[in-house]
């Protein structure tokens, strides 16, 4: 049966809604398509070199992104610093009122923002809605708590916060962080992720700007703009979310600076399975773990399994993998009508055809090196439109015993590919779970929770779950990383506000050169 795009969700319909919501932020490219302006120097400016942005859903062009050069970025940062001085002196009551105004506007456009995420970064509708909702709910909590958080005399930073974030959570990570930074009295600068989320962020920042919030949103190449966004003397702090390669460059650029920073990088998050029998419980956790194709920093792509449990583990795990649903997030059959739910999928495409091809090459490389393929799914039978480009889609794969030289052995795949390592002792269990020199999260599946607690002490992860997964968390829950997965101050809950303010007792929890200070009860 031929599938079609659900009525009212086509890109032309979605773009028209975005332009109607924020007409000041859009222009026309030379080819007649839409181009996104940059929010710089106090308003939306039609400057920059247009570059096409493609959707991972079918590789078609969505809009054009106007990329700035370093000189334009410097002027934007200088203007943001002036706006920061004024905003830092704005009474907290007024800051709260303006943030609330922005939250109301974002809430009114919630469905549009979510649909933009479907088209731009390939999130199924349910997960796209969750991304927007987590951002709004989280900031509302901070509005309620900010008076308490600043009661010890904490003040804004000396300059604006520069945000360089990945593409996978534009709302619940980037916009959420910006609104909290604004609430704490800082102007904000955000670089549009090059790979996705630009239109969603453009609409969101137009609503922030209308509420009177001093926000800057600019686009451009990371190599060209990072020097400005990281090292400019006007910048008071740098917030980075991304991979270890780019994160390492940001950290290196800050070595000769005492500038506040929080650099979140990936790690190989692992589940350890030892003396365990609660397979139905674990199955539910692992099925949910495939959401968004494991394109998130807290996904678990590694399973370290006690040899005596491998058969039972696979009896549980392989049916879970085979039950995962993926495909085009908006493809429906002829019986679908307005008001019916959109497809319930675990994930859609990876962020780009290039990333999908890279992941396929990593799998092939591991198999050639000796890994045993336990499952390699196919695109055949997944819900796609007739003739659509499927180059960004990757079916789930599971490899046993990846070779030590394989990239999948030590690095996060950032896609629906899991690896399984078999061990015989708890020392081996810990060594294999710590294979990436630091992680954001880890979990142990163990019937003896006292033993699991003892083993958890030696895991190089910021958060460790016992018979449950851990995640970034919401509201009061702190977030950070151990080892090479994090550099600088930790965030989340009170720690996020402490990271973007000065004063109080002066103490910061974080992972700093030569020492780490962990918050209690992580």
């Amino acid at each position: 049966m031929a599938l079609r795009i659900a009525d009212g969700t086509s890109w032309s319909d979605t773009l028209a809604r975005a332009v109607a919501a924020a007409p000041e932020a859009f222009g026309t490219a030379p080819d007649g398509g839409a181009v996104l302006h940059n929010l710089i120097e106090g308003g939306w400016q039609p400057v920059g070199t247009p570059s096409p942005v493609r959707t991972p859903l079918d590789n078609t062009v969505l809009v054009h992104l106007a990329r700035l050069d370093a000189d334009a970025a410097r002027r934007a940062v200088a203007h943001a610093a002036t706006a920061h001085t004024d905003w830092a002196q704005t009474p907290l009551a007024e800051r709260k009122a303006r943030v609330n105004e922005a939250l109301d506007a974002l809430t009114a456009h919630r469905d549009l923002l979510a649909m933009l995420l479907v088209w731009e970064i390939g999130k199924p509708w349910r997960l796209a809605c969750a991304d927007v909702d987590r951002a709004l709910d989280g900031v509302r909590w901070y509005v309620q708590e900010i008076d308490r958080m600043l009661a010890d005399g904490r003040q804004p930073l000396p300059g604006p916060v520069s945000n360089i974030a990945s593409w996978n959570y534009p709302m619940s990570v980037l916009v959420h962080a910006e609104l909290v930074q604004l609430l704490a009295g800082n102007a904000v600068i955000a670089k549009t992720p090059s790979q996705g989320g630009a239109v969603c962020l453009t609409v969101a920042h137009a609503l922030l700007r209308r509420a009177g919030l001093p926000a800057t949103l600019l686009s451009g190449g990371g190599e060209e703009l990072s020097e400005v966004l990281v090292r400019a003397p006007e910048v008071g702090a740098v917030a980075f979310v991304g991979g270890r390669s780019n994160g390492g460059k940001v950290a290196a650029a800050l070595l000769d600076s005492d500038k506040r920073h929080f650099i979140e990088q990936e790690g190989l998050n692992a589940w350890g399975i030892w003396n365990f029998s609660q397979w139905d419980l674990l199955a539910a956790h692992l099925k949910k773990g495939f959401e968004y194709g494991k394109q998130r920093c807290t996904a678990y792509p590694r399973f370290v399994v006690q040899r005596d449990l491998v058969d039972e583990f696979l009896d549980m795990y392989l049916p879970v993998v085979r039950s995962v649903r993926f495909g085009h997030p908006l493809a429906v059959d002829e019986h679908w009508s307005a008001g019916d739910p959109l497809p319930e999928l675990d994930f859609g495409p990876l962020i780009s055809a290039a990333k999908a091809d890279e992941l396929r090459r990593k799998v092939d490389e591991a198999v050639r090196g000796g890994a045993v393929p336990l499952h390699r799914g196919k695109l055949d039978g997944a819900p796609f439109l007739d003739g659509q480009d499927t180059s960004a889609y990757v079916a789930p794969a599971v490899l046993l015993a990846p070779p030590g030289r394989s990239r999948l052995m030590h690095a996060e795949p950032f896609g629906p590919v899991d690896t399984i390592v078999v061990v015989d002792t708890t020392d081996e269990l810990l060594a294999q779970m710590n294979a990436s020199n630091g992680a954001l999260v880890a979990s142990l599946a163990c019937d003896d929770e006292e033993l699991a607690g003892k083993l958890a002490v030696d895991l190089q992860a910021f958060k460790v779950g016992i018979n449950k997964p851990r995640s970034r968390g919401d509201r009061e829950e702190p977030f950070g990383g151990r080892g090479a997965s994090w550099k600088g101050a930790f965030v989340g809950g009170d720690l996020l506000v402490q990271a973007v303010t000065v004063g109080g007792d002066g103490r910061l929890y974080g992972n700093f050169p030569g020492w780490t200070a962990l918050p209690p009860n992580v």
Side-chain angles (χ1 to χ4, degrees):
M1 180 183 299
L3 303 180
R4 59 185 175 85
I5 297 290
D7 298 336
T9 70
S10 70
W11 176 244
S12 60
D13 290 338
T14 303
L15 179 60
R17 291 168 60 196
V19 173
E24 68 272 28
F26 291 84
T28 303
D31 66 357
V35 63
L36 304 178
H37 294 330
N38 286 279
L39 178 55
I40 55 175
E41 300 182 64
W44 292 97
Q45 306 291 337
V47 294
T49 303
S51 176
V53 175
R54 295 181 179 273
T55 172
L57 296 192
D58 58 14
N59 204 34
T60 55
V61 174
L62 297 179
V63 293
H64 289 76
L65 198 60
R67 295 178 178 270
L68 299 180
D69 60 22
D71 288 339
R74 287 190 189 94
R75 293 192 296 271
V77 169
H79 186 278
T82 300
H84 174 85
T85 300
D86 294 337
W87 183 247
Q89 298 171 357
T90 302
L92 178 57
E94 183 176 343
R95 300 201 305 258
K96 290 168 64 176
R98 292 195 193 180
V99 169
N100 273 325
E101 182 180 343
L103 287 171
D104 289 343
L106 291 165
T107 300
H109 291 86
R110 178 259 198 181
D111 285 2
L112 169 60
L113 296 168
M115 187 56 67
L116 288 169
L117 294 181
V118 175
W119 275 102
E120 292 192 85
I121 61 175
K123 285 196 173 182
W125 173 246
R126 175 178 58 84
L127 301 180
C129 291
D131 189 13
V132 180
D133 292 342
R134 284 183 65 193
L136 303 183
D137 293 345
V139 178
R140 288 191 184 98
W141 179 81
Y142 276 97
V143 172
Q144 295 172 354
E145 299 292 329
I146 192 67
D147 292 89
R148 173 186 61 78
M149 294 178 181
L150 299 178
D152 62 354
R154 303 193 73 87
Q155 298 295 319
L157 295 169
V161 181
S162 177
N163 294 271
I164 305 171
S166 183
W167 43 266
N168 52 345
Y169 287 91
M171 292 296 297
S172 63
V173 172
L174 179 53
V175 172
H176 175 277
E178 288 181 273
L179 285 168
V180 177
Q181 294 159 9
L182 287 157
L183 195 58
N186 302 287
V188 298
I189 303 165
K191 179 187 175 297
T192 305
S194 299
Q195 292 184 290
V199 186
C200 176
L201 289 171
T202 295
V203 173
H205 281 75
L207 301 177
L208 267 59
R209 189 67 199 173
R210 289 180 197 170
L213 296 173
T216 294
L217 179 68
L218 47 77
S219 302
E223 291 293 332
E224 187 166 17
L225 298 191
S226 61
E227 176 74 13
V228 179
L229 299 179
V230 175
R231 291 186 57 84
E234 300 95 332
V235 169
V238 177
F240 173 88
V241 179
R244 289 193 180 182
S245 175
N246 289 331
K249 295 175 184 177
V250 171
L254 293 170
L255 281 177
D256 60 352
S257 166
D258 60 357
K259 190 172 295 183
R260 192 72 61 83
H261 59 278
F262 7 106
I263 301 174
E264 175 188 333
Q265 304 172 111
E266 83 268 14
L268 187 61
N269 308 313
W271 268 98
I273 318 295
W274 190 267
N275 290 349
F276 184 72
S277 63
Q278 305 168 65
W279 301 113
D280 289 344
L281 171 67
L282 187 57
H285 291 320
L286 301 194
K287 176 64 182 296
K288 184 173 176 59
F290 272 97
E291 288 183 346
Y292 198 35
K294 301 203 172 189
Q295 295 179 99
R296 60 188 188 280
C297 63
T298 55
Y300 288 82
R302 166 64 51 80
F303 296 91
V304 183
V305 185
Q306 182 180 6
R307 187 176 303 276
D308 287 346
L309 297 178
V310 170
D311 55 344
E312 294 179 66
F313 173 77
L314 293 179
D315 286 345
M316 173 278 300
Y317 172 71
L318 291 177
V320 168
V321 177
R322 295 186 182 108
S323 72
V324 169
R325 300 156 297 177
F326 66 95
H328 192 302
L330 300 173
V332 297
D333 62 28
E334 62 185 11
H335 302 294
W336 189 92
S337 60
D340 289 345
L342 289 169
E344 181 62 35
L345 301 176
D346 296 299
F347 62 92
L350 298 193
I351 190 58
S352 67
K355 287 294 184 183
D357 186 58
E358 178 186 4
L359 185 57
R360 285 188 285 264
R361 289 199 305 271
K362 288 180 179 179
V363 171
D364 291 343
E365 169 192 272
V367 172
R368 288 196 303 271
V372 179
L374 299 179
H375 176 78
R376 281 188 282 188
K378 308 293 184 185
L379 298 187
D380 300 343
F384 294 119
L385 307 178
D386 285 347
Q388 78 157 84
D389 186 306
T390 59
S391 57
Y393 294 81
V394 175
V398 182
L399 304 182
L400 175 66
R405 62 185 178 278
S406 164
R407 288 178 288 175
L408 290 178
M409 184 62 186
H410 300 285
E412 182 181 29
F414 229 64
V417 174
D418 285 348
T419 54
I420 299 172
V421 176
V422 179
V423 296
D424 294 296
T425 68
T426 54
D427 286 344
E428 291 178 355
L429 178 83
L430 294 171
Q432 293 296 340
M433 292 184 70
N434 290 330
S436 66
N437 184 28
L440 304 174
V441 296
S443 288
L444 287 161
C446 182
D447 291 341
D448 184 344
E449 295 194 3
E450 182 178 356
L451 172 60
K454 293 177 180 177
L455 293 172
V457 173
D458 292 318
L459 290 175
Q460 294 299 305
F462 184 75
K463 295 180 182 179
V464 178
I466 306 299
N467 296 326
K468 65 180 182 181
R470 298 300 301 269
S471 67
R472 174 178 292 272
D474 294 306
R475 300 187 176 187
E476 69 274 4
E477 191 171 344
F479 187 60
R482 300 284 294 274
S485 69
W486 194 281
K487 298 182 186 300
F490 297 144
V491 297
D494 287 27
L495 302 190
L496 176 53
V497 171
Q498 293 171 16
V500 296
T501 55
V502 294
D505 63 10
R507 179 179 59 184
L508 281 180
Y509 293 106
N511 195 17
F512 303 100
W515 61 282
T516 296
L518 293 173
N521 303 318
V522 173

